[in-house]
Amino acid sequence: QATAVPTTGPTCNLLTIYNLNLRAEPSADAALLTTIPFSTTLTAYEVNTDGWWRVDYAGQTGWVNGEYVSAATACIALTGN
């Protein structure tokens, strides 16, 4: 079971580096909510230990795979890396 780390402190912005699926849960098998276009800036609220970020996009809250985003420096505090 992956645990999520809530954001504290500075806002964490992610930039999509591919067209990216927004999922209902932090899993590639979870329901697809929508596809986020390449080069979209997202605000992340938490990250789980598997590298999935909880974000808001177009009025929907969901999860994106961290392998397909570029995280701002402020995000490092969330990952512990």
Side-chain angles (χ1 to χ4, degrees):
Q1 178 79 17
T3 57
V5 178
T7 62
T8 55
T11 300
C12 171
N13 289 323
L14 306 176
L15 180 67
T16 61
I17 53 176
Y18 298 91
N19 289 338
L20 184 59
N21 292 327
L22 183 68
R23 301 282 182 179
E25 300 293 331
S27 166
D29 297 325
L32 174 63
L33 300 175
T34 191
T35 300
I36 303 167
F38 166 77
S39 196
T40 299
T41 299
L42 304 167
T43 298
Y45 298 98
E46 62 185 299
V47 61
N48 74 12
T49 54
D50 290 337
W52 286 78
W53 296 89
R54 186 173 64 86
V55 301
D56 284 338
Y57 174 73
Q60 297 182 85
T61 300
W63 294 82
V64 296
N65 188 324
E67 292 182 27
Y68 305 105
V69 296
S70 175
T73 304
C75 301
I76 294 171
L78 299 179
T79 64
N81 296 328

